[in-house]
Amino acid sequence: MIGKIKKGSGFKGCVNYVLGKEQAILLHADGVLTESRSDIIRSFCMQTGMNPDLKKPVGHIALSYSAVDAPKLTDEKMVQLAQEYMREMKITDTQYIIVRHQDREHPHVHIVFNRIDNNGKTISDRNDMYRNEQVCKKLKAKHGLYFAKGKEQVKQHRLKEPDKSKYEIYTAVKNEIGKSRNWQQLQHRLAEKGITIQFKRKGQTDEIQGISFSKGEYTFKGSEIDRSFSFSKLDRYFGDTGLNVAESQRQTAFAPIREQIPTRSNAESPFISGSLGLFFASPSPVDEEPNLNLRKKKKKKKQLKL
């Protein structure tokens, strides 16, 4: 069970959409005339006049279920679940319709409701995305509905933007992080797929507070793509073998310089590459002098013993 919430300014377009689909069925209605679509729209619009200051009075929720649950999801069960969902979301004492669509293999219904209740008060949408997630989990557990194993179950070819880009990023990060030993490698691998990483810093410091991923014109916070993609969790994944972000970026900056330096064996090379860049490591006469004096002292001690 997944709930997708939208808000809008006009009932006409929303009602025509949910009732205009082929084989759409109006399962239940409350507080509106149902002789025709026009009657339904007019009923909703009349109530909005009680609170004309609310710019988006249209509430639209799509409740989708797994195809595994299809045998148990009769029309009556779908209405029961929709009404229980609305009560849990504090969507009460207002006009609404419940419409079932059959244009997908998975069962789903659309709820259109008036965010201006029967007393002219606004139905709050505060934290509705978070509450939606919690209510769906609660109802799935209560009614024994199927719990999908994860985002792998999503039919990505059916997605539209921005969800399409979000799932493409999810798939890419999931596949590439296991092949990367540090942030630099992950950035490089994702860049090959057209995905960039941005780090959010604390003020003017180098302290990293968050991470976001971009693909094309769309940018998402790591936690929006998946909870396991927050900066702290990804950084923890690399652990001691990974590089911190600032260090990784410095290595990236030095990469063009390294490419210009002829490669030699370790014994021949006067350069040592470190995490902070390139350092000269040529031996100096000052370093050799103490070693020479030490050898002379050892030789004298040996002669005295003899």
Side-chain angles (χ1 to χ4, degrees), residues 24-63:
I25 304 172
L26 178 62
L27 298 183
H28 188 78
D30 194 342
V32 297
L33 299 173
T34 58
E35 294 297 321
S36 66
R37 288 190 215 171
S38 298
D39 289 331
I40 295 174
I41 296 168
R42 189 160 42 249
S43 298
F44 277 128
C45 290
M46 286 180 65
Q47 186 148 308
T48 61
M50 299 171 66
N51 188 351
D53 293 333
L54 183 62
K55 302 302 181 184
K56 292 186 176 182
V58 182
H60 178 197
I61 300 170
L63 293 180

Side-chain angles (χ1 to χ4, degrees), residues 117-278:
D117 70 16
N118 299 333
N119 298 310
K121 296 181 179 179
T122 300
I123 294 176
S124 175
D125 61 349
R126 186 176 182 180
N127 296 325
D128 59 353
M129 302 304 289
Y130 171 77
R131 290 186 290 119
N132 165 70
E133 183 179 353
Q134 300 305 308
V135 169
C136 285
K137 287 181 179 179
K138 179 179 179 179
L139 293 182
K140 280 195 291 186
K142 178 180 178 180
H143 294 274
L145 300 174
Y146 178 73
F147 276 84
K149 295 181 180 179
K151 290 183 174 64
E152 293 79 4
Q153 301 293 323
V154 175
K155 295 179 175 58
Q156 295 190 29
H157 64 281
R158 289 183 176 175
L159 294 175
K160 297 180 181 179
E161 297 292 5
D163 290 333
K164 184 175 183 294
S165 292
K166 181 188 292 187
Y167 276 90
E168 286 175 351
I169 294 173
Y170 167 80
T171 302
V173 176
K174 179 176 177 292
N175 291 339
E176 299 303 330
I177 192 170
K179 305 173 186 176
S180 305
R181 298 183 60 188
N182 51 50
W183 279 108
Q184 184 183 6
Q185 289 185 7
L186 179 62
Q187 286 178 295
H188 177 72
R189 290 179 179 277
L190 292 179
E192 291 179 341
K193 298 179 181 296
I195 300 169
T196 58
I197 296 176
Q198 297 87 37
F199 297 101
K200 180 183 178 183
R201 302 180 185 277
K202 183 178 181 180
Q204 301 299 318
T205 69
D206 285 337
E207 182 181 346
I208 307 298
Q209 286 187 318
I211 187 172
S212 60
F213 298 86
S214 297
K215 183 176 175 62
E217 61 181 300
Y218 300 102
T219 299
F220 309 93
K221 293 179 181 177
S223 57
E224 289 178 339
I225 297 171
D226 191 86
R227 289 184 177 182
S228 62
F229 288 177
S230 66
F231 171 74
S232 59
K233 290 182 180 179
L234 288 176
D235 199 46
R236 196 180 307 131
Y237 170 83
F238 290 128
D240 295 334
T241 62
L243 300 173
N244 63 55
V245 177
E247 186 175 338
S248 177
Q249 290 176 340
R250 283 193 291 270
Q251 285 204 4
T252 303
F254 276 105
I257 300 175
R258 290 195 184 96
E259 291 175 359
Q260 297 172 14
I261 299 173
T263 57
R264 305 185 185 184
S265 66
N266 292 338
E268 297 174 335
S269 177
F271 297 102
I272 297 176
S273 60
S275 61
L276 295 180
L278 300 176

